[in-house]
Amino acid sequence: MHLPNRAGPRTVALETTLLLHGVPHEAAKGLAKDLAGDVRAGGGEPALIGVLAGLPIVGLSEAELDLLLAASAAGSHAVPKANTSNLGILMAQGSHAATTVSTTMELAAAAGVRVFATGGLGGVHQGWASTLDISTDLFALTRFPVAVVASGVKSLLDIPATREALETLGVPVVGFKTDKFPAFYLRESAAGVDARFDDVAKLAAFVSSELERTGRGVLVVNPISREDELDCAEFERWLLQARKHAEDHGASGRHVTPAILGALHLISRGATLRANIALVRSNARLAGQLRAAMG
Ligand code: PSU
Ligand code: MN
């Protein structure tokens, strides 16, 4: 599939699931504006990706985003989360859809877009042995030639298992100014990266040649700043409560991640939301710099 890229040169992809399912409704529009500004501040051109009435779009206009926001305000299932398994079905049905990391990568690749910024990659959920809930995001990195700039994987996941899965799938994981695999709200986990880069120009040279060489993805991990990082013990307490909340509400499959993120935002009185916004904005800026340095 070939898709037009409405954004033009030095494009950085942004996803709609983060906006429509990852943050409270009131925060989404402002966050979209801020992320676009952050990409531009880094030297890139933002392209928000999503599906409008069955049509995949790389570079949603403000009016189109407003349409999706209005639809999702009317009912939480009006703009379903699309991963690579249900994207084509939602398109065939003429449905709206919010793209996750996996489908944002798929559509970005179809438009020739090589860099994408998000908050945290999906991964292996805790208790995966009984549920086998492993995000399609991991497999997308083996299929689409896009560099994903993220703060590791969300701290609610099984981080060592996710890191192992990336290794098994053969996905290169490179740290920007870190030797450790970040854990979203926390700067570090016990897991490591395959290589560290301290310089955007060197990172850009590696990413360009690696995408070209393999035709597959690269994960660039950028830790949350020290000022925005959460306290680890406090986060662990919130997470226990949030997980219980999601279980009590019977969340399963695609609804698990949004349910836990939403519960965390409430239980922490907005602290996890502030951290989430800070890290995704920092990733958007770095992705802009990376894209600009890729020439
Ligand atoms: N980053 C965030 N918030 C989010 C996500 C990423 O800061 O909500 C989304 C991405 O779209 C990612 C999805 O693909 O969470 C993972 O969902 P799942 O675990 O169901 O694969
Ligand atoms: Mn899942």
Side-chain angles (χ1 to χ4, degrees):
M1 179 175 62
H2 177 78
L3 280 179
N5 169 13
R6 293 187 183 167
R10 295 189 308 283
T11 301
V12 171
L14 298 169
E15 56 153 304
T16 34
T17 291
L18 163 70
L19 297 174
L20 295 163
H21 296 276
V23 299
H25 186 71
E26 320 77 71
K29 186 152 171 138
L31 179 56
K33 279 216 168 88
D34 288 342
L35 291 176
D38 294 327
V39 167
R40 288 198 179 98
E45 196 50 49
L48 183 60
I49 295 184
V51 178
L52 200 74
L55 200 71
I57 296 174
V58 176
L60 287 163
S61 68
E62 198 180 327
E64 288 166 337
L65 173 61
D66 286 344
L67 262 166
L68 291 178
L69 287 168
S72 80
S76 65
H77 298 297
V79 189
K81 256 174 91 173
N83 66 35
T84 39
S85 65
N86 62 335
L87 173 67
I89 294 168
L90 292 166
M91 283 165 53
Q93 292 170 340
S95 171
H96 296 322
T99 55
T100 58
V101 169
S102 63
T103 43
T104 304
M105 288 183 80
E106 181 167 359
L107 298 176
V113 174
R114 291 182 290 160
V115 176
F116 163 30
T118 186
L121 193 71
V124 181
H125 280 265
Q126 300 201 0
W128 69 278
S130 56
T131 62
L132 205 72
D133 188 348
I134 302 176
S135 178
T136 324
D137 293 353
L138 300 182
F139 302 90
L141 281 159
T142 71
R143 300 173 65 187
F144 307 114
V146 177
V148 181
V149 180
S151 300
V153 294
K154 294 186 205 72
S155 325
L156 42 112
L157 300 168
D158 183 333
I159 292 167
T162 304
R163 184 65 190 90
E164 282 300 332
L166 286 163
E167 168 84 12
T168 301
L169 292 168
V171 175
V173 177
V174 298
F176 185 65
K177 298 188 176 167
T178 185
D179 298 304
K180 292 291 186 188
F181 190 68
F184 204 62
Y185 307 114
L186 310 172
R187 284 178 60 79
E188 294 188 351
S189 72
V193 295
D194 292 314
R196 169 185 178 133
F197 288 86
D198 288 281
D199 178 69
V200 177
K202 289 192 179 128
L203 175 65
F206 169 72
V207 165
S208 295
S209 67
E210 185 69 359
L211 295 177
E212 177 78 33
R213 184 183 74 83
T214 64
R216 303 186 298 260
V218 173
L219 179 58
V220 177
V221 292
N222 179 37
I224 188 171
S225 75
R226 275 175 222 291
E227 307 83 77
D228 295 313
E229 181 178 34
L230 296 182
D231 176 75
C232 186
E234 196 169 34
F235 173 72
E236 292 295 335
R237 274 200 307 279
W238 292 334
L239 180 58
L240 278 177
Q241 292 177 44
R243 193 170 287 130
K244 176 148 190 330
H245 181 275
E247 271 165 23
D248 290 350
H249 285 73
S252 67
R254 309 193 164 88
H255 305 301
V256 171
T257 299
I260 296 181
L261 287 177
L264 276 172
H265 297 336
L266 285 176
I267 292 163
S268 71
R269 296 176 199 213
T272 58
L273 178 61
R274 283 190 293 280
N276 195 345
I277 288 174
L279 67 87
V280 68
R281 291 195 59 182
S282 150
N283 295 340
R285 178 182 273 265
L286 175 60
Q289 293 169 344
L290 170 63
R291 183 60 192 86
M294 283 164 68

